[in-house]
Amino acid sequence: MGEGETTAFPLIWTQPPPRRRGLDREKIVAAAIRVADEAGLDGLTMKAVAAGLGPYSPMALYRHVHSKEGLFDLMLDAATAEIPLPGEPGGDWRDDLRTLALETRRMTARHPWFAVLVHARPPAGPHMMRRLEFMLTVLVRQGATVGEAMTYAALIDRHVFGSALQESEEARQERRHGLDDDARLYAAIAALRELAAADGRLPHLTEWLTHPAGPTPEERFAIGLDFVLDGIAGRLP
Amino acid sequence: MGEGETTAFPLIWTQPPPRRRGLDREKIVAAAIRVADEAGLDGLTMKAVAAGLGPYSPMALYRHVHSKEGLFDLMLDAATAEIPLPGEPGGDWRDDLRTLALETRRMTARHPWFAVLVHARPPAGPHMMRRLEFMLTVLVRQGATVGEAMTYAALIDRHVFGSALQESEEARQERRHGLDDDARLYAAIAALRELAAADGRLPHLTEWLTHPAGPTPEERFAIGLDFVLDGIAGRLP
DNA sequence: CTGGGGAAGTTTATGTCGTACACGAAGAGT
DNA sequence: ACTCTTCGTGTACGACATAAACTTCCCCAG
């Protein structure tokens, strides 16, 4: 049959040009991040990453990242590298920590998968370690012990990544159920409200589902962050 | 033809007694929770749940729960039902919220998978709704609007489930890498410390990895919870 | 210039999952 | 006794991660 034979008649001219060595960790991680940003963690398969790099087979990636979990670790550290990190703490410890928290939040907004993965992997990447070291330095300079500083840093990150996780999972649900247009979203809320109203003992929840009100996500984040920073301030010597 | 026969020799006695209708949601959910408690979320497969119920096929479950996500929802609500919930708020709003947070934490200690799933599913189960309503009631009685109460309740839960998530994922890592005995755990920490020390710019982190110190998980939880409750108190009218 | 070793990518295969579908058998209601 | 419904099974399919064996190419030592 046709001249594009791979089986019967191997004419060199019709064969695809041999693949040059084009892959490395950086490219693979960048492609994986691109895929995860666009398709979510569910869409992050080895096949999809390979396809995002060109005509590669999924197995090609294993030569460079040796497992999907390894790829996760590299993705986490690459995303963490995007967070601007001062070389030295500035004059105001609260500003230092607040700014870092806000920048971290901005990164998680670009990479919604981050908050999911960060809870599943140990934070051993170099950029993640440097970021943590910065928080520790800021707190230790205010008189905290290293153990206390670890506790406070963990509380800040709990809030940052907790917010990010909740918001990204909400967005995921909406995308999965096609709630992007207002009509569907309204219907989904109405269904929830009916459920709550049917119980009969949920007046406040029903009210909120009828008139959802309250601070924006951004304001909610700031409120919680202030709670943590105020709390830390109250415990510094 | 002979009755009961599937193969060559139709002896009724060698046939298993026909399966009676024994499954229902409750049993399935209880079995699923048992499996997840013991084997973790990775071990929670339809096959494992069916096996935990007796000689059932995995497909039998679908008659009652229609999908694995549906099973997740039922598991979340069943676990939430284990949290003691007063019918009415008591005299002290802080005590009410703190007690609920602590009881919730006790539940997540029994069911480490809870914190993972709760972030992935909408909290629409009746018990989850009642629990939320309780928090809203407590806060609204102190003068918060429903919108504010939602914000504060979310912050409390963020801390409770964030702690649980972190602790359960740490435990999972340790189990997965067989760090149950001290020698291996020590080696793992040493490896991390080498990594940190090699960077050269991570003195505080290195110090902490050399002498891990600080509050116990329980104390850390209490500290963060106080931060949130203090913050709420400062914003109530 | 050459040939051999190792690295990069592909093909093929394996085992595990969730779950759709069609079937058969076991009560329940008439 | 007959039918309708409800429950559980067997089989099958398509993803997915990844192991193993194979092929092709590059580079460097002689």
Side-chain angles (χ1 to χ4, degrees):
Chain A
M1 26 197 71
E3 71 295 19
E5 212 74 338
T6 53
T7 48
F9 222 60
L11 291 181
I12 311 97
W13 322 112
T14 65
Q15 300 286 106
R19 180 120 300 291
R20 311 267 159 252
R21 334 216 137 181
L23 292 183
D24 59 19
R25 280 197 172 178
E26 254 185 70
K27 283 185 204 160
I28 291 175
V29 172
I33 289 179
R34 229 175 297 128
V35 170
D37 286 348
E38 283 165 26
L41 270 187
D42 293 345
L44 182 70
T45 69
M46 299 307 262
K47 189 169 143 192
V49 175
L53 285 162
Y56 288 97
S57 105
M59 289 309 292
L61 310 183
Y62 283 88
R63 197 65 67 167
H64 303 271
V65 299
H66 85 263
S67 83
K68 201 180 182 184
E69 289 205 332
L71 180 56
F72 287 166
D73 289 340
L74 294 171
M75 290 171 69
L76 285 169
D77 209 60
T80 303
E82 296 179 8
I83 305 169
L85 190 66
E88 277 291 304
D92 184 340
W93 68 270
R94 272 184 88 116
D95 269 3
D96 285 339
L97 294 179
R98 185 197 309 280
T99 302
L100 183 63
L102 285 168
E103 290 290 353
T104 304
R105 176 176 170 81
R106 289 192 51 210
M107 183 276 287
T108 61
R110 285 194 300 273
H111 306 303
W113 45 268
F114 188 97
V116 182
L117 287 190
V118 78
H119 285 108
R121 309 286 319 155
H127 292 95
M128 303 189 78
M129 282 186 164
R130 273 201 266 281
R131 176 177 171 281
L132 178 55
E133 176 74 19
F134 178 79
M135 291 198 279
L136 296 181
T137 305
V138 169
L139 287 162
V140 167
R141 290 202 185 170
Q142 297 308 310
T145 67
V146 176
E148 289 164 349
M150 272 300 241
T151 303
Y152 301 150
L155 285 173
I156 293 173
D157 277 352
R158 171 122 73 240
H159 181 249
V160 174
F161 297 136
S163 301
L165 183 55
Q166 185 186 323
E167 288 165 25
S168 88
E169 290 298 308
E170 272 169 16
R172 193 176 79 102
Q173 290 293 322
E174 288 177 12
R175 182 158 47 148
R176 260 175 32 102
H177 295 78
L179 304 185
D180 14 23
D181 66 292
D182 285 352
R184 273 175 185 274
L185 182 58
Y186 179 82
I189 291 188
L192 268 186
R193 180 175 62 240
E194 303 246 331
L195 219 60
D199 185 288
R201 287 175 296 177
L202 306 171
H204 299 105
L205 187 53
T206 306
E207 179 189 337
W208 188 82
L209 287 167
T210 311
H211 311 292
T216 66
E218 221 54 49
E219 288 165 345
R220 266 183 279 144
F221 177 78
I223 290 171
L225 184 56
D226 278 335
F227 286 3
V228 178
L229 292 177
D230 288 345
I232 294 172
R235 293 176 62 99
L236 288 176
Chain B
M1 36 194 78
E3 79 287 33
E5 203 64 348
T6 54
T7 50
F9 228 58
L11 289 183
I12 311 97
W13 321 113
T14 66
Q15 299 288 109
R19 180 126 300 291
R20 310 269 156 249
R21 335 217 137 182
L23 292 184
D24 59 21
R25 281 195 171 179
E26 254 184 71
K27 283 184 204 162
I28 291 174
V29 172
I33 289 179
R34 228 175 298 128
V35 170
D37 286 348
E38 284 165 24
L41 270 187
D42 292 344
L44 183 70
T45 70
M46 298 307 261
K47 188 169 144 195
V49 176
L53 285 162
Y56 288 96
S57 107
M59 289 310 292
L61 311 182
Y62 283 86
R63 198 67 70 169
H64 303 269
V65 298
H66 84 263
S67 83
K68 200 180 181 183
E69 289 207 331
L71 179 57
F72 287 165
D73 289 340
L74 295 171
M75 289 171 70
L76 284 169
D77 210 59
T80 304
E82 295 178 8
I83 305 168
L85 189 67
E88 278 290 305
D92 183 340
W93 67 271
R94 272 184 88 114
D95 269 4
D96 284 339
L97 294 180
R98 184 196 309 279
T99 302
L100 183 62
L102 285 168
E103 290 289 354
T104 303
R105 177 175 170 82
R106 287 190 52 208
M107 183 276 287
T108 61
R110 284 193 300 274
H111 306 302
W113 46 268
F114 188 96
V116 182
L117 286 189
V118 78
H119 284 108
R121 308 288 316 155
H127 291 96
M128 302 188 79
M129 282 185 164
R130 272 202 266 282
R131 175 175 171 283
L132 176 56
E133 177 73 19
F134 178 79
M135 292 197 278
L136 296 181
T137 304
V138 169
L139 287 162
V140 167
R141 289 202 185 170
Q142 298 308 311
T145 67
V146 177
E148 289 164 348
M150 272 299 240
T151 303
Y152 301 151
L155 285 173
I156 293 173
D157 276 352
R158 172 121 73 240
H159 181 248
V160 174
F161 297 137
S163 303
L165 184 55
Q166 186 187 322
E167 288 166 25
S168 87
E169 290 299 308
E170 273 168 16
R172 193 177 77 102
Q173 290 294 323
E174 287 177 13
R175 182 158 44 147
R176 260 177 30 103
H177 295 78
L179 304 185
D180 13 23
D181 66 289
D182 285 352
R184 273 174 185 275
L185 182 58
Y186 180 81
I189 290 187
L192 267 186
R193 180 176 61 238
E194 303 246 331
L195 219 59
D199 185 287
R201 286 175 298 175
L202 306 171
H204 299 104
L205 188 52
T206 306
E207 179 189 338
W208 187 83
L209 286 167
T210 310
H211 312 292
T216 66
E218 220 54 52
E219 287 165 346
R220 268 183 277 147
F221 176 77
I223 290 171
L225 183 57
D226 278 335
F227 287 1
V228 178
L229 292 176
D230 288 344
I232 295 172
R235 294 177 62 99
L236 288 175

